[in-house]
Each structure stands twice: as structure tokens, then as C-alpha cells.
Amino acid sequence: MNVLFIMADQLRWDHLGCSGHPYLQTPHIDALAARGVRFANAFVNSGVCGPSRMSHYTGRYPISHGATWNRVPLSVGEVTLGEMLKGSGRSLALAGKTHVMADREGLARLQLEGGSELATLLQRGGFEEIDRYDGHHPPGSESGYAAYLRAQGYAGDDPWSEHVISGVDAQGQVQSGWHMRNVHLPARVAESHSETAFMTDQALQYMQRMGSQPWVLHLSYVKPHWPYMAPAPYHAMYSAAQCLPVQRTLQELDTAHPVLAAYRQQEECRSFQRDECIRTVRPAYQGLISQLDHHLGRLFEYLEKSGLAKDTLVIFTADHGDFLGDHWLGEKELFYDTVQKVPFIVVDPRPEAHATRGQVRDEFVEAVDVVPTVLETLGLPLPQHRLEGRSLLPLLHRAEAPSNWRSFAYSELDYSYREARLRLGKDVQQCRAFSLRSAQWRYVYWLDEPEQLFDLNADPDCFQDLGRDTSTAGVRAELRHQLLDFLARRKHRTTVSEAAVAQGTAAHKRAGVFFGQW
Amino acid sequence: MNVLFIMADQLRWDHLGCSGHPYLQTPHIDALAARGVRFANAFVNSGVCGPSRMSHYTGRYPISHGATWNRVPLSVGEVTLGEMLKGSGRSLALAGKTHVMADREGLARLQLEGGSELATLLQRGGFEEIDRYDGHHPPGSESGYAAYLRAQGYAGDDPWSEHVISGVDAQGQVQSGWHMRNVHLPARVAESHSETAFMTDQALQYMQRMGSQPWVLHLSYVKPHWPYMAPAPYHAMYSAAQCLPVQRTLQELDTAHPVLAAYRQQEECRSFQRDECIRTVRPAYQGLISQLDHHLGRLFEYLEKSGLAKDTLVIFTADHGDFLGDHWLGEKELFYDTVQKVPFIVVDPRPEAHATRGQVRDEFVEAVDVVPTVLETLGLPLPQHRLEGRSLLPLLHRAEAPSNWRSFAYSELDYSYREARLRLGKDVQQCRAFSLRSAQWRYVYWLDEPEQLFDLNADPDCFQDLGRDTSTAGVRAELRHQLLDFLARRKHRTTVSEAAVAQGTAAHKRAGVFFGQW
């Protein structure tokens, strides 16, 4: 079996045709869902790239893997999917973004600097890089994209800034997509030379090179993440009227939670509080998604035509969503489904999965489930003493979910690096929140701040925060208890396997220790 | 400054003259307390050797360092006091026990096998071993004790088993101290050749060798831990009548918590439920303590006479206590002060500490406080992004405690390796408990089992478990909340310093990322 693990960056769950968007066209993603299972309650374990992705790559929650924010290095003590595959004689190829930061201090401490194969693998989070490109920066030396752009005739020191995320206004002036007011313009790059096209090409070339050799590929797009600059014709594919209505009420501002109030002072939120920003960005964002869908179509066509499809497990998901003005917020991070819920489609081509093709399933699925799903698909051992997710194969192979399937999704946030910390006068250990999302409740526990609580039955759009409402004290106490129980079960005993613990139980006499004998 | 960090193994807080034992003689420890501060509310962070010691050596709680039970390796990702000292050009010498298990899988994963200086340091938990001896096994190759015994004329393949923990009964038969019925006999070793004497000699020789060079020494005795065999004259120093009364009530058995009921079926508890076991063991245990005190007297005398005392911070504590039949239990682990509260004496010889000499302080002190105290004493940087304890210097230098000093002590237990797990039919991830001990309450949260709660005001001996009492539901909910908050604050973001986070706050534009600009 091969595995193709595709990630989109900052793609909202509700921005797909198959999830009900009335205008957005994503025919190839919809067809993918029809061939497999679409999980309608799939959640990330943190609403921001770095920690979310590290959960995808380790099978562990942020509180366990410790990379709680973008650019917080993943500890050398953590074991990634790539390393697990390596241990079984396979490897994990990468085309695109990971957001993995090398743990340089940890590597130096263990004298693992320099270019050994092991040091390189650890620096890269276990990936073998075909082309690594994290996006929203000029492509660095790990990527061929800058050279590719130059070869296509995009001149300049920084063709990415000057072409890929820039446009030309009516006055003939070059304008940067870093200013969202400009993202109605087409990017100064041909669609076929865009980030999404380039990375799809990398993946296709890799599959061609591999021929009949098995592979596991993480194809990780940097779009529809900002800068929201879409190339023609996608920049103009949707009008503002063809976007989802903005989800926000004035009551939300009147009764704002202190941390949300601080967030809403940040530049990205202030911008998205302007209607013109929403009307400008949302069509471009949708265009980027349709563009992505187009390239996924190329990819899926290749899988079919090459015959690879019948031996390839495909996972398609995103690292988090994007507020785009909902709840008076821009960007991501906070605990609304807008950001925390993501597309999650899995196609298992094997006959065992025929029973579930085309299903939309409601079980709670999380980012941490990717690693165990990949390992089980490949018939490899699952390091259960580390893994906190569960393989999704039971949900792909049987109509009935296991009776002990999880009843909530978990997510957390470390906002120490955010301006909101300064506004609230907090120190760098105080800026944490922990959230449970069950069928009925969205609950958030904030250090040193009030709780948040939304009743999804009565208020599916989460406009009314009941976290400081005395009438919900009982529910909140129950959810606190659930959260305590969840945190108390994290897998911090990582140096011994479960089998070794079982074998070592009550084994002291076998080890020559005879305490307690009268 | 030098640091002498002395640990006794399995020494109850109430088994010292200075803590009020009416018969037990510990004049040298009492004199130590008179020269410094005795902390009357000092607690370990787990009531069993391995996890407790790893908290002393890392400054982190078991849930953070991950070595949750004896012989669970300390992850190569954890940084120990010895390594911190090494990073500052100093080292941490060891004479005696650590219970550190090398993380062989972790080291192999990082290609750190073999005998490099780094690999050796990591395998040994950061210690430079003068003589490592973990006790309750025949001494291995890391210790010179077996060779020493042979040189003193103790013959046989295993002089430790045959002499140090054996005695000769009235019929002239050699009897093993592994059977507690025999510990009224004197050990078949001269007192001056005993484990306690030998390890004191190692420490004295080390200090002599070091001369005027500064040092940090962990002198870690294996006694009064079982086997409870004391050499003459200490085996007969106390009568059963000179021991503390047994703390147990029949009501405890009638209303036993399920996990405690399972523990009480284990051999060591069944043995200690016999009065003859208590009457036999307690006098020997007290003898071992008086013997330890005698050798500490030799050590303190050397410090004084050599002039080292004025430049040496001395910490004296233990890794946990011993039930000795209290609460119908033997051994340790569970959440009673009998086991969780430990002796904790600190002498800071510097003038700044004159104000507190001879004080008995009531602030909650924990095992995790050792590392920050040592580092601050030596003027070395404190890695606050890892350290979960606090330096005790403020309590040594000022009469007033900092206003934000902790209001409870925390401890946890992983009983996966214990027979109780099998009796209760649990898997190896389910056997955990988490406890808070405040001035009024002893609270225990057990996974999948009822809570425990004791009101120390009304019931200082903890005979009446209110954990399943409906009248305490409100108190328990409040303590659950406190425990949740405590777990939510653990330091899992270990790869970036606090300064780096502060510098990185709201710094995206400096890094060339301009999201959110209209």
C-alpha cells in the first residue's frame, strides 16, 4: 500500500461543495468524498499551524508533544511518523509545508549537530524532503520554487514577493497581497506557475519516479492560507454574493470574553471587522480553494490512470480553518468550529472499505488519528505508549463505530506569542486554554480567565457564551471534570512499551527482590 | 559554594528526634536542623523511589519527566541537575543510590550508545559516579562495595546476601533478612562494614580528595529501606514499646477504597497486618535510622573540622516514607502523610541565612524544589521553561514567605506494575492517581475509581475517607478544579526559553510576515 496524505493550509470545513457550500466548486474533492468516507466531525488539536501539524505528525496532543505554537521546536524526544516509518524500512516523503522547527538546542545538547543522516532526519521532523516549502515567506533553500520561478522568467531578487503574492492595480502599480485590500487583483504569476501548481507537479514527478516502488507522501499545500492572492482566473471566480454569510452578532461584542476582547484588538481582527475586507478576501479565498481542487483533480487522475489508486490510501484534511470575519475575528486559534473543525476525507481502496464508500460519518475524528491510521494501513506496529490518537480503519471498514469511540474532540491554545498576551498583562506560562467539543457543548478552560461555554443544540453558531452564566455552573463543573480526566490520561510514560509494563507487573521476585515476606 | 545533597531511602518524616519521636535518637540530624531550617510540610511528588527521585533530579513532576515508576527509564529528552551543572562547568558527584534507569531505547534511537562521555552521562542521569549502589540487590559493577566486603573477609559469591542482609538464629542457622521475621537478628556484618558506613566513607574520601576544589555531592543512602537488617548494636537499640503506636482503625477496612482494598491483599500489606511483623520490623527500622544518624555525625564533624561547613549548603531529605503497618499497609506509594511527607532540612551557612537558623517552617516544600535551590545557591541560570519547582532560598533568607508561595503539595502514582492492577482488572494506562495536599485537605483523584478525601482538621490521622460522601461533593468539585488547573500549568513547552517566547511575542512583522493588514 501507498499512502497519500494531503493537507491544505487554513481550509475551513464549510468551504467545500460536498460539505454544503452553495457556490464554491470543488468537484474533485467532492468526488474523493464519494469514493471514501467524509468525516463531518473532524477536529484539529490546536487551531494554529505548528501545534496542529505536530499532532498530525506525532499522533500526540500538543500538551504531550510540547510544540505549542508556530516555530516552537518539536523536541528531539518526540518520535514522528517519518521516524516510525524509517524504523520499519519505509520513509515519509514531503512535498510542501510542515512547519517543523528543528530542536537545535536539543540536538546540540545530544551532539547531534551536523549533517549525519540521523541529524538531518531529526531536524526535518522525520520527513525526506522532495521539496519543502512552508509558504508565506520567500521560498528558502529547501525548496526549488524560487529557482523554478526564475527559470519561468519571473525576474528579481525575490520573485515570490514580487510576483506570486503581488498584483498590478488599475494605475499599473505593483501592489502586495500582504495588504488584503489588494487580493481582488490577480497574482502576477501564471496559474500554472503558482505555489499550488508547482507543489502538485513535485508530487506527480515523485510518484512517476517511484514507479512501482511503494511510498508514503505528505503533499502539503500552503494555500488557501494568506497571503490570499489568487492567480487568474481564480481571483475572479466568485463574487462577494457567492460567499457564505458572515457569522457575527453585536451581542458577541457586548459580552466578550476577556481574551477574545483582546484578540479583537489585534490588527487581523480589526481588518476583518471591516465589511470591505470580508467582501474582498472571501472571494479570493474561495478562488484559491477551487484552484486547489483543480490540481487535486490532476493528481487523482494520475492515480487512476497509473493504476496506483487501487493501492493508495488517500487522506485529505487541513490544519485548521480561518475566521474571515466570523465572530468579529480574523485568522484562527480560538475555539469555534469555524477554525477547529476541518475537512477530513479518507479513501481506502481495499475491498474491506467497500461497505462505507460515500458515507458521511459523524464520529469525532482528530488530527492525532492520522499516524495510527497510516501505520495500521501499512501493517506496521503502533507504539501505543506514545500514540494518543486512534486508527480510523474501524470507521472505514464497518458501518458501526466501536462502542468506546471518543465522545468529544480536544484542542488547546498557547497564545503566549500573541499581542493579546501583552494587552492582558500575562506572563509566558499563563496563556493557555483547553477545550472540549462534544455533540452538545463547546467548552473552554482558560488559565486565570473565565470559562467559555456554548450550547450547540440551542445556539449552533456559538453566539452566546454561557461560560460566566450561573445557570450553567453544573454543566461547566461536569465538563471541568471531563477535561481533568482527559489531561490525567495523557501518555507521558513514553520510555517503556505497554507490553513491557504488562510483563513487569508484580515481577519483583523474578528480579530477585523479595520485599514484604514475613 | 559546595552542595551536599543527602538523601535517605524510605525514611518517615516522623522518625526523627527533631520531629517529635519520643524515643528515636537522631542527635546529629537534630543538630543539623538547629543550624538551618527544618521544613515541617515537605512532600515528595510520588511516594515511590524512582519517580520521586527523578523529581528531585530534574525539578519536574512525574507527569512531566515521565519516569512514573521504578525502573521506568528517564527519557533522554529530560535534563537532570547533573547535566545542568555540567553545562556550567561543574559536575554532580554521586555516592549511593539514584534509581536512574538509562533510556536505552531512546539512546539507541539517537545513536548514543557506546561509551562516549555524553552517552555515559545520559545513561547515569547526569551523575558522575564515585560509587553507585541502588541497594536491595547484590552490589553491581558500578559499586566497590562487593569487593570491599570480600577484602574485609566476607566470603562467598554474594557477600551482600550472605552477610549484609542475613543473620544467625538461635539454632546457628543463617537466616535472610528478606524474611521480615528475621530482622530482630543482628546483620552478619560489622557495623563499620555496613552499607551506611561504606557509603559515608566514600563521601568522606571524595571530600578529602577534592580538597579546596568546589563540589556538588549527592550522598544517597540505601537505608532505612528494606531489607530491614541492622548491624549490632543498632538491631537491638529499640524495643517494640519504644516505637510509635500503629495508626489504623477497623473502620478503614470496612470502608476501604477499591484500590486500597486491592493493595491490602498484596503480600507486604498482609505481612504488616500482623502485629508480630510490626513489633519485629519497627525496632530494626529505628535502629537503622540511629545508625544513619551516627554516620551523618561523622560527616558533619568532617565538614566542621575541615572548614568546609562554612561554604557548603546541606540538604537532607528522603525519597518517601514507609507505612510499617499504618492504615493496614506495608511499603509506600499511597497518599498518606506517613509516606508522602518527608524530613527536609536545609542548612545555608551564609550570613543571609542567619535570620532563619533553627526555624521550623510550615510552607509546603516539594521534591521538585531541590534543583532550583541548588542552582540558585551556586549562582547558575535556572531553566525556568523546564523547572516546576521553586528555589527555597527565599524561605532560608527571610522570615516572611513570598506571598505567592504554593498552598498545596502535589503527588501522583502509577500502579501499573503492581499486583493491585491485576486484581482490579485494569490496563496499563488506567492505573494512575493524582493528589493534592493542602493545609486542610488530602484529596486523591483516581482514574476510573472513586476519589479519596480526608479532612485533616477533623481527622489528622486520615482514618475517615470522605471521598464517596455526598456531603463533600462541593469540596471535591473545588479540589478537582484545583487539580485541573495544576495539570494545565505543567511545563510541556520545553524547547524554548521564557525569554525567547517573550522576545517572540507579536514579532511577526520583524520576521517579514505581514498577515492581517488591510
Side-chain angles (χ1 to χ4, degrees), chain A residues 172-218:
Chain A
Q173 299 294 312
V174 176
Q175 300 290 354
S176 171
W178 280 126
H179 282 279
M180 295 189 286
R181 66 179 74 233
N182 297 322
V183 304
H184 62 97
L185 300 170
R188 292 179 72 204
V189 71
E191 194 284 318
S192 61
H193 302 150
S194 67
E195 294 160 305
T196 300
F198 173 80
M199 209 50 77
T200 307
D201 292 344
Q202 299 300 310
L204 285 166
Q205 289 161 19
Y206 173 74
M207 292 190 269
Q208 282 157 4
R209 281 200 303 277
M210 291 301 281
S212 59
Q213 292 176 69
W215 44 262
V216 182
L217 173 62
H218 183 38

Side-chain angles (χ1 to χ4, degrees), chain A residues 480-514:
Chain A
R480 267 199 304 274
H481 188 167
Q482 244 178 68
L483 178 60
L484 166 62
D485 201 72
F486 180 86
L487 295 183
R489 288 177 199 272
R490 294 310 89 231
K491 292 191 173 169
H492 49 274
R493 185 186 62 204
T494 58
T495 55
V496 279
S497 70
E498 306 214 330
V501 177
Q503 278 188 337
T505 303
H508 53 281
K509 290 190 180 179
R510 291 205 299 276
V513 175
F514 302 96

Side-chain angles (χ1 to χ4, degrees), chain B residues 192-261:
Chain B
S192 60
H193 303 149
S194 67
E195 294 159 305
T196 300
F198 173 80
M199 207 51 78
T200 307
D201 292 344
Q202 299 300 310
L204 285 167
Q205 288 161 20
Y206 172 75
M207 291 191 269
Q208 280 157 6
R209 281 199 303 277
M210 292 302 281
S212 59
Q213 291 176 69
W215 44 262
V216 182
L217 173 62
H218 183 38
L219 170 56
S220 185
Y221 291 102
V222 300
K223 286 288 180 267
H225 190 284
W226 44 257
Y228 302 104
M229 209 77 196
Y234 296 99
H235 75 294
M237 193 167 174
Y238 300 98
S239 69
Q242 291 173 314
C243 296
L244 296 183
V246 186
Q247 298 291 327
R248 62 185 187 192
T249 68
L250 287 171
Q251 183 205 17
E252 288 183 281
L253 298 180
D254 292 343
T255 60
H257 185 276
V259 180
L260 272 70

Side-chain angles (χ1 to χ4, degrees), chain A residues 4 6 200 203-204 207 219 221 294-304:
Chain A
L4 177 58
I6 307 168
T200 307
L204 285 166
M207 292 190 269
L219 170 55
Y221 291 102
H294 163 73
H295 288 283
L296 290 175
R298 292 168 61 210
L299 201 70
F300 300 149
E301 187 183 16
Y302 177 80
L303 288 177
E304 281 303 327

Side-chain angles (χ1 to χ4, degrees), chain A residues 73 83 109 267 271 414 417 421 429 432 445 448 485 489-490 493 495 498 505-506 509 516-517, chain B residues 73 83 109 180 267 271 414 417 421 428-429 432 445 448 485 489-490 493 495 498 505-506 509 516:
Chain A
E83 195 182 327
R109 173 186 163 239
E267 183 175 28
S271 293
D414 171 7
Y417 285 87
R421 173 173 79 77
Q429 293 290 354
R432 302 187 196 170
Y445 183 79
D448 304 318
D485 201 72
R489 288 177 199 272
R490 294 310 89 231
R493 185 186 62 204
T495 55
E498 306 214 330
T505 303
K509 290 190 180 179
Q517 292 183 165
Chain B
E83 196 182 328
R109 174 186 162 241
M180 293 190 286
E267 184 176 26
S271 293
D414 171 6
Y417 284 87
R421 175 173 78 78
V428 300
Q429 293 289 355
R432 301 188 196 170
Y445 184 79
D448 304 317
D485 200 73
R489 288 178 200 270
R490 292 312 88 232
R493 186 186 63 202
T495 56
E498 306 213 329
T505 303
K509 290 190 180 179

Side-chain angles (χ1 to χ4, degrees), chain A residues 14-229:
Chain A
D14 56 3
H15 272 56
L16 294 178
C18 56
S19 59
H21 194 294
Y23 304 103
L24 184 57
Q25 291 165 41
T26 53
H28 299 106
I29 296 172
D30 302 350
L32 185 76
R35 292 197 295 279
V37 172
R38 181 166 72 82
F39 291 99
N41 278 305
F43 290 85
V44 290
N45 299 119
S46 186
V48 66
C49 301
S52 172
R53 285 162 183 269
M54 300 315 123
S55 287
H56 287 95
Y57 303 154
T58 61
R60 290 158 60 76
Y61 296 106
I63 199 170
S64 298
H65 65 57
T68 60
W69 186 254
N70 295 334
R71 305 184 70 78
V72 170
L74 182 64
S75 167
V76 68
E78 287 297 306
V79 180
T80 55
L81 175 61
E83 195 182 327
M84 294 173 205
L85 293 176
K86 201 83 180 169
S88 300
R90 300 194 60 154
S91 68
L92 176 56
L94 168 71
K97 171 169 178 169
T98 67
H99 232 103
V100 167
M101 290 294 292
D103 179 11
R104 298 208 176 278
E105 273 181 43
L107 289 164
R109 173 186 163 239
L110 299 171
Q111 297 174 3
L112 283 165
E113 295 152 303
S116 74
E117 189 186 348
L118 173 67
T120 305
L121 191 75
L122 292 170
Q123 281 164 27
R124 295 174 177 177
F127 291 97
E128 301 213 338
E129 299 178 355
I130 303 168
D131 191 287
R132 174 172 172 175
Y133 175 46
D134 275 6
H136 65 265
H137 281 281
S141 59
E142 318 83 7
S143 175
Y145 187 45
Y148 169 86
L149 287 169
R150 284 193 197 96
Q152 305 306 319
Y154 300 96
D157 284 348
D158 177 1
W160 178 79
S161 297
E162 294 170 43
H163 294 276
V164 179
I165 65 154
S166 287
V168 177
D169 65 15
Q171 286 71 46
Q173 299 294 312
V174 176
Q175 300 290 354
S176 171
W178 280 126
H179 282 279
M180 295 189 286
R181 66 179 74 233
N182 297 322
V183 304
H184 62 97
L185 300 170
R188 292 179 72 204
V189 71
E191 194 284 318
S192 61
H193 302 150
S194 67
E195 294 160 305
T196 300
F198 173 80
M199 209 50 77
T200 307
D201 292 344
Q202 299 300 310
L204 285 166
Q205 289 161 19
Y206 173 74
M207 292 190 269
Q208 282 157 4
R209 281 200 303 277
M210 291 301 281
S212 59
Q213 292 176 69
W215 44 262
V216 182
L217 173 62
H218 183 38
L219 170 55
S220 185
Y221 291 102
V222 300
K223 286 286 178 272
H225 190 285
W226 43 258
Y228 303 104
M229 208 77 197

